[in-house]
Amino acid sequence: MNYQEILKHYWGYDDFRGIQREIIESVGSGHDTLGLMPTGGGKSITFQVPALAQEGTCIVITPLIALMKDQVDNLRRRGIKAAAIYSGLTHEEILTTLENAIFGGVKLLYVSPERLSSDLFQTKLRHMKVSFITVDEAHCISQWGYDFRPSYLQIAKIRKLVPQVPILALTATATPQVIEDIQIRLARNPSSTSSTRNTSTSGFQVYKMSFERSNLAYVVRHADDKIGELIHILKSTKGSAIVYARSRRRTKEYAEIINEAGITATFYHAGLDASVKDQRQREWQDDKYRVMVATNAFGMGIDKSDVRVVVHVDCPDSIEAYFQEAGRAGRDGLKAYAVLLYNHADERKLSKRITDNFPEKDYIRQVYEHLAYYYQIGVDSGYGHTFEFNIDKFCHIFRHFPIQVYSALKILQRAGYIEYTEEQDNQARVMFTVSRNDLYRLENNSPNEEKIITALLRTYGGLFTDYNYIDEAFLATITQLQPQQVYLTLKSLSQRHILHFIPQKKTPYIRYTQRREDMEHIQIMPEVYEERKTQFEQRIKAMIGYATCDNICRSRQLLHYFGEENDHDCQQCDVCLSHRKEGLVSESRLSAASQMILDLLSDRKPHPITDLKSIELPDSELDAALDYLTAEEYIRQEDGMLFAT
């Protein structure tokens, strides 16, 4: 089948949209390709379709485990062979998945970037027929991006194992500097330079959709009472909503306040158990709850197109983060709103984040020294050793604040001294403590306990001789119990000494990547500290500028930040609506000017905007009429042309 036939057969769409076809044809022809598509632009189609059209397996690298699971489930429902490798799977499960890919049983293999460095993956990759490699959220590979992740640097090493295989890099948020850096870091020849034209000197074909979202109204509300304003917004709009807060504690507090106001809401953050997160996301997607209150841990890869409003109660620290999170509204193409609540305290909070993220170098060296005391590591020792890290305990012992310690650890990681892995999931484990015969003679088990015991015996082997990793969410599915019921039942069986249940635990780890140095010998280079601090300060400044600039169209401000210029205002943001209200054109004059423009376009043909010169009216009246007709969708403006809608 050709690309369009595949699209129709598996997805039911008649044709591609935007730049999907160009990207697909580029990577299908063996070219390294960079696709820049806004949230909701249909990124997944650009690698799923060519993967089905080619022999072999497409490796999809993404940091989002929830997205992996959702996309694998969706693909399998369509009859497409897909699988995923992520933390929490057993060695046997990973081995089986990789072997299936080697023998042609997997068309799309989703892999977290952390898995790329494992010997097992690299060994199996050498025997795998790879069609191409997809790098989702490609901005994570750029040290100049807002969301740099060191694990993404492993991708360049993987390229050397399959040097002839093309790469497709995809992102929804990238400044011109980040676009260039992505190409340099992923190039077959990493030393080459690049540009953002459609053919770069790095060998990449670059395709870019406009980041403009014509259906999305960006609004900044200057509010001293943010909670009151939030409730007002939610009551004034209809449909599904996301409310972003900066702290985990606030997500719960805001959800309770919203519920008290008579609006159904739940909350989500990275500290919740995986089964709880999955359940809450599913319930929100199924409209059991209208509002999801969340930290930025929520949203990437969500398959919900009818979000009508996204509200940021706390100001993000970069335009990139705001644009991506706001872009989750209105993915169905219908009118939606992205609202930022802002007041003077936000500027102070944003400025404080600079010192929080970049503490003084002497403080960073002190944290390194205290780590050595904490783990009793002598000078010139510790290389390769891995330790569990309890940040609260560490801060209590040495009288530090968690935010600054977290930032110091990240800087030490970039400097190459340690590797800090945040809250790595250790999957739940179970082993029966009674023999099989004794288990069958047990009495007084509750119905739920019987269901769990039966499901364990049917699903997992070797439970009487060793601990076995289990998936509580899967047990909930096959027993038709709620995830919380599964957890409580396993706890009950453990308390009765029928089995030993080790719950899932999120544990940060620290690994020494060099021998311990004396504190005064710790070198923190400019590219690790000063240059990144300058970049962070510029992002903070840009975010404050966006929130406080009330005389330039919000959409134009955002597009300009991403290197895109347009010649028209959006006519629907708070700035544009304010300008329209401030106009001195009377209703009668506005109506007359609007009718003249509509008469000009009555032939239903596109007209150059310069044709308006034929209408003998003052520019102020014509401008006001254009604003009104565009906002009410009677006409549209594009590339200097006017169209009747």
Side-chain angles (χ1 to χ4, degrees), residues 181-219:
D181 201 28
I182 291 170
Q183 295 172 72
I184 292 171
R185 293 185 177 278
L186 290 178
R188 282 189 170 96
N189 176 11
S191 63
S192 63
T193 57
S194 62
S195 73
T196 56
R197 297 172 184 167
N198 260 27
T199 303
S200 73
T201 54
S202 68
F204 271 82
Q205 300 285 326
V206 183
Y207 299 93
K208 182 176 181 179
M209 279 180 70
S210 172
F211 283 178
E212 184 175 13
R213 293 285 303 280
S214 59
N215 67 310
L216 185 56
Y218 296 101
V219 178

Side-chain angles (χ1 to χ4, degrees), residues 40 213 215 240 284-285 302-308 327-336:
R213 293 285 303 280
N215 67 310
S240 196
W284 175 75
Q285 287 180 306
I302 59 168
D303 187 19
K304 189 169 178 63
S305 62
D306 61 346
V307 177
R308 298 272 65 86
R328 287 160 194 156
R331 290 176 57 178
D332 55 6
L334 303 179
K335 186 65 177 286

Side-chain angles (χ1 to χ4, degrees), residues 43 80 116 179 244 267 270 321 332 341 345 391 485 517 568 643:
K43 286 192 296 179
I80 298 169
L116 301 178
I179 291 170
Y244 280 109
F267 66 94
D332 55 6
L341 302 181
I391 192 169
Q485 290 176 296
E517 298 273 5
H568 61 275
F643 302 82

Side-chain angles (χ1 to χ4, degrees), residues 246 317 347-360 364 403-404 407 411 529-530 532-542 544:
R246 187 150 180 91
D317 51 24
E347 184 168 347
R348 175 178 51 80
K349 292 175 184 176
L350 285 170
S351 298
K352 184 178 181 298
R353 288 181 204 169
I354 298 171
T355 54
D356 284 344
N357 280 270
F358 292 89
E360 294 295 326
I364 297 168
I403 292 175
Q404 286 88 349
S407 298
I411 292 168
Y529 188 88
E530 284 85 0
R532 289 187 61 81
K533 183 178 181 181
T534 298
Q535 289 282 326
F536 188 73
E537 289 172 337
Q538 290 172 349
R539 285 197 289 271
I540 292 287
K541 184 178 179 181
I544 294 172

